[in-house]
Amino acid sequence: YDTIGGVPRVFDAFNYWFQAKNFSLGQLYANEPPMPELFRFPFIIMRDGKWYGSVYPGFSILLSLGVKLGVPWLINPIIGGLALSGTYLLTRDMFNRELARLVVILGLLSPFYRMMCSIFMSHAAATLWVVIAMRMLWLCGKRPERMGLLKPMTAGIALGFLYITRPQAGAVTMPLLM
């Protein structure tokens, strides 16, 4: 938990937290403070009396739920757990249970994965959206006669959220899924 007094100390993470705090209040931006020169932060914009984050809103929307409930630090570990669970299901479906278990163990042992699931950054959320989209598209291709509308729509929604969370990841992922 990389914060000081519950506030992130990494500029990118602070930007997500700041934007999530605004979203949790039902606002897209905050009013500019009375002495703006004392509140200059990288990536946070003050213009025309408005004070807002410059990051894409996808992760901030999820983080705002934690801010509203008073547990913002809990959001990314939950997202990371869901992404790892989805990875298990996808790997099990595509290959087998043994490989799926190995993938989960490697994920749990990975210092990078644990770090990205413990700070206010969008990596874990982007991972979750990719895993959801991949699994739904895999299931559509595996049993097209039982596809229905729910699976492709879920994949499309996940890709949409990926694009508003980390657009570059979406631009790279989309051609790979087609």
Side-chain angles (χ1 to χ4, degrees), residues 5 11 24-25 34 37 50 53-54 68 73 88 90 94 119 125 151 166:
F11 289 129
S24 73
L25 298 170
E37 63 277 0
K50 297 174 183 164
S54 63
K68 193 135 186 103
W73 51 270
Y88 171 84
L90 178 64
M94 292 178 76
I119 60 174
K151 290 176 186 131
R166 294 184 69 82

Side-chain angles (χ1 to χ4, degrees), residues 8 18 28 31 41 53 63 67 76 96 100 115 123 126 130 148 162 164:
F18 179 78
L28 294 176
N31 292 326
F41 295 98
L63 186 58
V67 170
N76 250 1
N96 58 55
M115 182 267 313
H123 301 81
V130 169
L162 175 61
I164 66 168

Side-chain angles (χ1 to χ4, degrees), residues 33-102:
M35 299 175 69
E37 63 277 0
L38 299 177
F39 295 94
R40 298 273 180 218
F41 295 98
F43 316 122
I44 295 182
I45 301 165
M46 285 190 218
R47 187 175 299 138
D48 301 327
K50 297 174 183 164
W51 195 18
Y52 51 94
S54 63
V55 292
Y56 294 101
F59 174 62
S60 298
I61 292 168
L62 295 174
L63 186 58
S64 71
L65 299 172
V67 170
K68 193 135 186 103
L69 297 172
V71 289
W73 51 270
L74 196 55
I75 297 302
N76 250 1
I78 290 172
I79 291 170
L82 291 172
L84 209 49
S85 298
T87 302
Y88 171 84
L89 294 173
L90 178 64
T91 307
R92 182 198 66 192
D93 291 349
M94 292 178 76
F95 301 102
N96 58 55
R97 288 184 196 279
E98 291 76 27
L99 184 59
R101 288 183 192 125
L102 178 62

Side-chain angles (χ1 to χ4, degrees), residues 69-151:
L69 297 172
V71 289
W73 51 270
L74 196 55
I75 297 302
N76 250 1
I78 290 172
I79 291 170
L82 291 172
L84 209 49
S85 298
T87 302
Y88 171 84
L89 294 173
L90 178 64
T91 307
R92 182 198 66 192
D93 291 349
M94 292 178 76
F95 301 102
N96 58 55
R97 288 184 196 279
E98 291 76 27
L99 184 59
R101 288 183 192 125
L102 178 62
V103 167
V104 169
I105 290 168
L106 291 174
L108 291 171
L109 293 175
S110 167
F112 176 73
Y113 191 77
R114 289 196 327 248
M115 182 267 313
M116 79 173 196
C117 293
S118 66
I119 60 174
F120 294 154
M121 299 285 275
S122 63
H123 301 81
T127 302
L128 177 62
W129 301 131
V130 169
V131 167
I132 290 171
M134 287 179 69
R135 181 142 196 275
M136 291 299 109
L137 291 174
W138 172 261
L139 292 174
C140 288
K142 189 173 181 181
R143 292 172 270 188
E145 69 283 352
R146 295 179 51 205
M147 181 171 64
L149 285 177
L150 185 62
K151 290 176 186 131

